[in-house]
Amino acid sequence: MTKISIITIAFNDKEGLKKTFNSVFNQTFQDFEFIVIDGGSTDGSKALIEENQQKIAYWVSEKDSGVFHAMNKGIRVAKGEFIIFMNSGDIFNDDAVLLDIVPELTDRFDIYYGDNYKESPSSKRLKTYPEKLSFSFFYTSSINHQSTFIRKSLFDDHFYYNEQYKIASDWEFFVYTICHKNVPYKYLRRTIAIYDFTGISSNPKFAALYQEEKKDSMQRYFPAFLEDYQEVSELNSKRFLQFQHIKKHRLAYKILKGFISIQLLFLPKMPKKN
């Protein structure tokens, strides 16, 4: 059985697809299955795929209903024991990633995740992850599919990505399998990928949509924690983080406390807790 299936989804991003192809094809470990799911691109991406089809185990270029529909199409045809998504514009951190990681992928764990760089036209920053993935971690963060190797059978045993969501489907999959089903996972002390940080999930305009999708997922799988989730969301709001920053500076915090005390004089008293 093939150990690794690399799945790339793309739509009208020929230059990004070139980057991803070069990164995949330059891996020193080459015993993997490469799958490309294109959403019916009209910018020359299909021709690029055809030029490289001898290196691609399976590809299709046809209209789909979105990112997670395309990812699910890739999962369904994958024959590898583990899947990693390296989407258009994403690349492996270096040519030896698979060579280093594949020997670590054993029957002991179902999810293996490592670090990644988030890259945009103006910045490149390293994102590291904890060895222990707690429920509180998933309140405010998630592991990244470009730097995560997922046992394919998890999708068949639990569920595929939620195609109704635009952003939070991979977050939902990880929080459900890890926190609800307790699947075994392992942190790889390795930087796996450099991912294109210009997509919808990283666009501040869609932050509210992301939170709504996460809230909907929490209601479905973790209803008892929904109120906690809302409170944690508030604690991580920009205003609260600004308050925490001010608190570190004695004079600024003293001025702020004085201002708050004045405001409280004009407000009704807070109800006492039972």
Side-chain angles (χ1 to χ4, degrees), residues 129-154:
Y129 297 89
E131 285 194 54
K132 183 177 181 181
L133 299 176
S134 63
F135 196 60
S136 59
F137 168 80
F138 283 104
Y139 270 138
T140 57
S141 190
S142 183
I143 53 178
N144 185 275
H145 61 242
Q146 288 94 333
S147 56
T148 303
F149 298 84
I150 307 166
R151 191 178 299 279
K152 188 201 169 183
S153 60
L154 289 185

Side-chain angles (χ1 to χ4, degrees), residues 173-216:
F173 178 83
F174 288 134
V175 73
Y176 178 83
T177 54
I178 292 172
C179 296
H180 190 57
K181 291 300 182 178
N182 295 311
V183 303
Y185 61 84
K186 181 181 180 182
Y187 173 56
L188 301 167
R189 296 181 177 277
R190 178 74 154 85
T191 303
I192 306 298
I194 304 171
Y195 86 90
D196 185 354
F197 198 55
T198 60
I200 182 173
S201 63
S202 55
N203 191 326
K205 290 196 306 181
F206 298 100
L209 174 61
Y210 184 39
Q211 292 303 321
E212 281 302 309
E213 290 180 351
K214 289 171 70 175
K215 182 179 176 181
D216 181 72

Side-chain angles (χ1 to χ4, degrees), residues 12 16 23 30 42 65 82 91 94-95 100 130-131 133 136 152 161 174 201 204-205 212 225 228 273:
N12 284 339
S23 176
Q30 284 287 308
T42 56
S65 61
F82 287 91
I91 61 175
D94 56 74
D95 294 345
D100 292 344
E131 285 194 54
L133 299 176
S136 59
K152 188 201 169 183
Y161 290 123
F174 288 134
S201 63
K205 290 196 306 181
E212 281 302 309
F225 297 99
D228 291 338
K273 291 184 178 181

Side-chain angles (χ1 to χ4, degrees), residues 157-171:
D157 293 344
H158 303 293
F159 53 73
Y160 281 54
Y161 290 123
N162 186 340
E163 295 177 15
Q164 302 304 310
Y165 291 167
K166 299 291 186 185
I167 306 173
S169 294
D170 52 346
W171 175 88

